[in-house]
Amino acid sequence: MFDSCNAKNFYHNKALTSPYPRSRVERTHVPADKVDWLAEWKDYQPVEYTAMSILSGPQWADPQVSDKSFSPKFNERDGEVERTSWNGLYVVENGRPRNPAGRTGLTGRGLLGRWGPNHAADPVVTRWKRDRSGNKIAHPVTGKNILQFVAIKRRDCGEWAIPGGMVDPGEKISATLKREFGEEALNSLQKSPEEKAELEKQLQRLFSQEHFVVYRGYVDDPRNTDNAWMETEAVNYHDETGETMDNLPLEAGDDAGMVKWVDISEKLKLYANHSYFIKLVTEKRGAHWSEGPGPECPE
C-alpha cells in the first residue's frame, strides 16, 4: 500500500476552504504556522457551524454532543458505527474529537454526519488507453503508457472526482466500493430488476479481479472541521485487457452529474486529494503521470 503520507504530512489546503461548502459561513483564518495543534494559539476562536441538514437528525448522522441520550465511544467501533481512525488514536477534548491534521478555522460538523472520522470508500477503476487497433498508447515525452480512470462530475460542487461514497453502518468496505461505483458511474439505482441482475454479474467480474489498496487515511476535504473529518480507503481495480469495462456502459447516476473515462496525468484537477490517489496508482502500474519530477506528497 502506497500511503506514504499520513495525516501529519497533510498540510490543510482544501480543508481551509472559505466560505464553507454550500454555505456563506466564513472560516476563521488559520495561518500555515498555526495549523498544527502543537503551535500555541491562545486567541484561536473558530466559527461554530453545523448545517441544518445535519441538525435535522437524518438517520445517518450523530446527534449533537450536548444531547444527553448520545454517548459515543470514540476511538473504537461503536455498535455498527466505525469511530476508529485509519491514522491511529485521536484526541477527544470536551467531548469532541479533534481533527488529527490540525486546525481548520471551524468547529462543529459542517456537512458531515459523524463526530470524528467519517469513513468513505473510493474505487479507482482503470484501463490502458488504446488506439483503434487495440494497442496501448504511450505518452510522447515519457514513453510510458497512458492510464485512464472512470471519473464523475460531482453534482454538489461541479468538480471531477473518483466515484466513491460513504460507508454505511455495518457495511464492508468492499461492498461500499462496488455499490458506489454502480450507483454513480453506471446509474444502477434507475435500472430495471433484470438490468440490475445483469449489471451485478458484470460488476462482480470487475471487482473480483486483481486489485490493490492505494491509500487508507485522512482526506484533505473542504467539508472537514476541527471536530469532523473525512477518511477513505481508495482501491484500484484495473481492467488490464479493457474487455470487462467494454460491457459496462458508463451512465451518471445518484450524486454524479457526468461520468467519463479520463486520461491520467499531473494536469488533472480533482476533488479533495483524489489527484494524489490517482498519482499513486500510476506509480504502482508504471504508467505516465508527469513530464518532470513532482512533489512527494500533496500540498
Side-chain angles (χ1 to χ4, degrees):
M1 186 169 57
F2 284 57
D3 55 345
S4 55
C5 303
N6 63 26
K8 292 187 183 300
N9 296 119
F10 275 119
Y11 166 62
H12 276 159
N13 181 3
K14 297 191 178 183
L16 296 173
T17 299
S18 201
Y20 186 85
R22 288 152 64 180
S23 80
R24 295 180 180 178
V25 178
E26 296 284 343
R27 295 178 187 263
T28 297
H29 174 66
V30 181
D33 63 349
K34 298 293 187 186
V35 170
D36 196 316
W37 292 109
L38 295 176
E40 188 174 350
W41 190 359
K42 292 180 180 177
D43 297 328
Y44 179 53
Q45 293 184 314
V47 176
E48 173 82 15
Y49 175 66
T50 300
M52 282 306 301
S53 58
I54 304 300
L55 294 175
S56 63
Q59 189 176 359
W60 46 268
D62 289 335
Q64 287 290 79
V65 166
S66 57
D67 189 325
K68 292 181 180 178
S69 66
F70 181 51
S71 53
K73 297 176 181 175
F74 293 122
N75 282 305
E76 59 182 285
R77 189 173 178 86
D78 185 8
E80 292 289 288
V81 179
E82 186 57 77
R83 298 193 190 276
T84 62
S85 166
W86 286 120
N87 294 95
L89 295 176
Y90 50 87
V91 174
V92 179
E93 210 169 45
N94 299 319
R96 293 183 172 200
R98 196 174 75 177
N99 188 318
R103 299 179 176 98
T104 68
L106 190 137
T107 54
R109 284 175 289 160
L111 289 164
L112 298 179
R114 303 290 179 196
W115 293 98
N118 288 254
H119 291 282
D122 290 305
V124 185
V125 175
T126 56
R127 70 180 184 186
W128 296 109
K129 186 175 186 178
R130 298 176 185 270
D131 61 23
R132 290 186 177 181
S133 301
N135 302 308
K136 295 178 184 176
I137 297 175
H139 189 272
V141 175
T142 63
K144 293 183 177 180
N145 293 330
I146 297 172
L147 265 182
Q148 297 179 313
F149 85 106
V150 175
I152 61 154
K153 191 171 188 179
R154 293 175 61 110
R155 287 188 190 275
D156 58 356
C157 63
E159 291 187 87
W160 287 92
I162 297 165
M166 306 306 294
V167 180
D168 289 339
E171 186 177 39
K172 289 186 177 180
I173 288 178
S174 57
T176 308
L177 290 159
K178 187 167 72 169
R179 173 177 58 77
E180 286 291 339
F181 187 79
E183 290 175 4
E184 296 198 341
L186 304 172
N187 199 20
S188 61
L189 294 176
Q190 301 301 318
K191 303 294 185 186
S192 67
E194 295 78 14
E195 289 173 324
K196 280 184 180 178
E198 182 58 33
L199 199 58
E200 179 60 32
K201 283 186 196 174
Q202 298 289 348
L203 277 172
Q204 187 58 40
R205 184 178 170 193
L206 172 67
F207 281 78
S208 61
Q209 290 189 142
E210 176 262 343
H211 59 273
F212 81 100
V213 176
V214 181
Y215 176 86
R216 287 189 185 118
Y218 181 87
V219 179
D220 179 26
D221 191 288
R223 295 168 294 181
N224 291 353
T225 74
D226 285 6
N227 309 121
W229 59 90
M230 289 297 303
E231 298 192 7
T232 198
E233 177 169 315
V235 181
N236 177 219
Y237 295 90
H238 181 63
D239 186 9
E240 179 64 29
T241 65
E243 293 173 1
T244 301
M245 286 305 300
D246 280 347
N247 296 318
L248 284 170
L250 299 181
E251 181 183 345
D254 197 27
D255 298 329
M258 292 173 63
V259 59
K260 67 177 181 179
W261 286 100
V262 173
D263 291 358
I264 295 176
S265 80
E266 66 173 343
K267 296 175 183 176
L268 284 176
K269 302 297 181 189
L270 302 177
Y271 180 78
N273 47 339
H274 287 190
S275 294
Y276 176 58
F277 306 156
I278 297 295
K279 176 177 182 280
L280 294 180
V281 172
T282 64
E283 290 176 3
K284 172 72 172 180
R285 303 286 175 194
H288 169 72
W289 171 254
S290 170
E291 295 178 20
E296 286 294 316
C297 294
E299 294 178 358

